[in-house]
Amino acid sequence: MHDLLLILAYATLGAVAAGLLGAGALWLLRERSVATSLAVVAAATVAAMLAGTLSVAEAMFLSGHDLGVVTAVCAIAAVISLAMAVLLGRRVVAGSRALTAATRAFGDSDTFAAPPNAPTAELAELGRELAATSAKLAQSRERERALEASRRELVAWISHDLRTPLAGLRAMTEALEDGVAADPTRYHSQIRAEVERLSGMVGDLFELSRIQAGVLSLAPARMSVYDLVGDAIAGADALARRHGVSLVGHGVEPVPVEVDGREMTRVLANLLVNAIHRTPADGTVAVAARREADSVVLSVTDGCGGIPPEELPRVFDTGWRGTDARTPPAGAGLGLAIVRGIVEAHHGRAAVRNVPGGCSFEVRLPAAV
């Protein structure tokens, strides 16, 4: 037992000494290639084995012949290990350089294709992660380009929509100042209406900026969809009467949701106002709510005659108005963008589809537990 412990002690001392030398060599060569590091590791491994073996041989007083045999075996193992380490290192270096070239191309052309046949699982995983990141960046850039295009379009539309009422306000105020207004009361009423419309546009812009900046503050509370729809219909009833449109709320199930009542009322109000403006006189705007699995679906169906299929994906984009007109009641094209922003802030989804005679806007919200 004592001899075994002594052999283990000599072998450990020799191997540790060789290992420390190998660690020092790795530290000195830390900025070299992977192939060099692998060669140092292989050499340190064989050196540790050889040092331990020679230490034990010296302690056991082996014959010169036996010591030569052991040394020859270790030397052959060292040569083979170094050769395999160099070959493996070259493969790893080649794979690393291919991945570096692909990454550099990604930086230049915004596209990334992972090199095939990666030499190690780690490099293969890194290539897959870079490819996934490249796809996410491409999607992000596409969204940014679309958002920038919609912003430019919105600025152009807003500029036109503001210029027209401002010119009218200026003309009416000048007429009042010069005393040439035939009916000042009518002018005052019209000025008030234009100011209210401008105030509404500014309010929509402010709301949309909060949504796009991600600072929309919600105060969720548990409430019934029935109450939400009832309040929205009551608020839009006067507008519907002026346009000769009937509002119906059949098929509204009293299912609970946990939402910000003020913001969701704005969502339904925007949908109803949009539907009323697009529905001809004597038409009908229908509001419904139902539960589907773990979701609550609210829908507003109008009689607009339908939206061209190529326009459906853009309905909720900022500035979309579904018409080339630049005059009221087209508005600034912010209502539906605000609808989508508020619904997505509630972890829901807004969609639109054509139905016979019109289209149906659907808001899908998580059902309250």
Side-chain angles (χ1 to χ4, degrees), residues 9 21 40 44 91 135 157 185 202 209 216 260 286 313 341 368:
L21 290 175
V40 170
R91 289 191 61 226
W157 288 359
T185 302
V202 172
S209 67
L216 181 64
D260 187 308

Side-chain angles (χ1 to χ4, degrees), residues 93-105 112-115 122-124 126-128 130:
V93 169
S96 177
R97 288 176 177 171
L99 189 59
T100 301
T103 306
R104 187 179 299 112
F112 178 83
E122 290 78 8
L123 289 178
L126 180 58
R128 288 191 293 268
L130 287 173

Side-chain angles (χ1 to χ4, degrees), residues 236-282:
D237 185 64
L239 178 65
R241 289 178 182 274
R242 287 200 302 269
H243 286 76
V245 175
S246 299
L247 283 180
V248 297
H250 301 311
V252 179
E253 301 178 8
V255 293
V257 288
E258 190 166 345
V259 295
D260 187 308
R262 176 176 172 274
E263 297 296 341
M264 285 310 303
T265 299
R266 183 181 185 117
V267 165
L268 291 175
N270 284 0
L271 292 177
L272 286 173
V273 169
N274 180 74
I276 291 169
H277 281 307
R278 302 299 179 182
T279 300
D282 298 329

Side-chain angles (χ1 to χ4, degrees), residues 277-302:
H277 281 307
R278 302 299 179 182
T279 300
D282 298 329
T284 301
V285 173
V287 185
R290 65 187 185 277
R291 178 156 188 168
E292 291 184 359
D294 56 351
S295 301
V296 176
V297 181
L298 294 89
S299 63
V300 176
T301 305
D302 59 34

Side-chain angles (χ1 to χ4, degrees), residues 6-368:
L6 187 61
I7 291 173
L8 292 176
Y10 275 105
T12 302
L13 288 175
V16 167
L20 291 175
L21 290 175
L26 281 177
W27 186 83
L28 293 174
L29 300 173
R30 60 187 181 278
E31 296 181 357
R32 303 297 292 273
S33 66
V34 176
T36 303
S37 298
L38 288 175
V40 170
V41 170
T45 302
V46 175
M49 180 184 64
L50 182 59
T53 303
L54 293 178
S55 299
V56 173
E58 183 67 22
M60 295 178 63
F61 303 104
L62 291 180
S63 64
H65 177 269
D66 293 341
L67 184 60
V69 171
V70 171
T71 303
V73 170
C74 290
I76 293 173
V79 172
I80 295 176
S81 299
L82 287 174
M84 294 183 64
V86 170
L87 291 176
L88 177 60
R90 286 184 175 178
R91 289 191 61 226
V92 173
V93 169
S96 177
R97 288 176 177 171
L99 189 59
T100 301
T103 306
R104 187 179 299 112
F106 166 57
D108 295 337
S109 61
D110 294 342
T111 57
F112 178 83
N117 304 322
T120 64
E122 290 78 8
L123 289 178
E125 179 65 20
L126 180 58
R128 288 191 293 268
E129 289 296 327
L130 287 173
T133 302
S134 172
K136 292 178 182 177
L137 288 175
Q139 294 174 359
S140 178
R141 284 190 295 269
E142 185 63 30
R143 286 195 300 268
E144 184 178 355
R145 283 193 290 265
L147 182 60
E148 184 61 28
S150 67
R151 283 176 177 171
R152 288 195 298 267
E153 192 175 15
L154 174 62
V155 169
W157 288 359
I158 287 291
S159 300
H160 185 282
D161 285 346
L162 288 177
R163 188 182 302 113
T164 302
L166 287 175
L169 287 172
R170 180 177 181 179
M172 286 185 287
T173 54
E174 289 177 351
L176 290 172
E177 287 178 352
D178 296 339
V180 298
D183 187 357
T185 302
R186 183 175 64 85
Y187 274 49
H188 290 149
S189 177
Q190 191 169 353
I191 289 174
R192 179 181 179 85
E194 290 294 337
V195 169
E196 289 180 352
R197 190 167 73 87
L198 291 175
S199 178
M201 292 174 61
V202 172
D204 286 346
L205 282 171
F206 178 69
E207 183 77 3
L208 187 62
S209 67
R210 291 171 59 210
I211 291 172
Q212 292 182 344
V215 296
L216 181 64
S217 179
L218 299 177
R222 187 183 180 91
M223 59 186 63
S224 172
V225 172
Y226 188 87
D227 295 334
L228 276 176
V229 172
D231 293 343
I233 291 178
D237 185 64
L239 178 65
R241 289 178 182 274
R242 287 200 302 269
H243 286 76
V245 175
S246 299
L247 283 180
V248 297
H250 301 311
V252 179
E253 301 178 8
V255 293
V257 288
E258 190 166 345
V259 295
D260 187 308
R262 176 176 172 274
E263 297 296 341
M264 285 310 303
T265 299
R266 183 181 185 117
V267 165
L268 291 175
N270 284 0
L271 292 177
L272 286 173
V273 169
N274 180 74
I276 291 169
H277 281 307
R278 302 299 179 182
T279 300
D282 298 329
T284 301
V285 173
V287 185
R290 65 187 185 277
R291 178 156 188 168
E292 291 184 359
D294 56 351
S295 301
V296 176
V297 181
L298 294 89
S299 63
V300 176
T301 305
D302 59 34
C304 68
I307 299 174
E310 64 274 11
E311 291 289 325
L312 285 175
R314 298 186 59 240
V315 167
F316 292 97
D317 289 351
T318 303
W320 185 89
R321 296 189 284 190
T323 176
D324 293 330
R326 296 293 183 266
T327 57
L334 305 181
L336 294 179
I338 291 173
V339 165
R340 179 174 63 179
I342 294 175
V343 171
E344 290 180 351
H346 283 85
H347 306 290
R349 184 172 59 87
V352 61
R353 59 186 176 87
N354 285 324
V355 296
C359 56
S360 178
F361 288 83
E362 294 185 348
V363 171
R364 186 177 297 271
L365 297 169

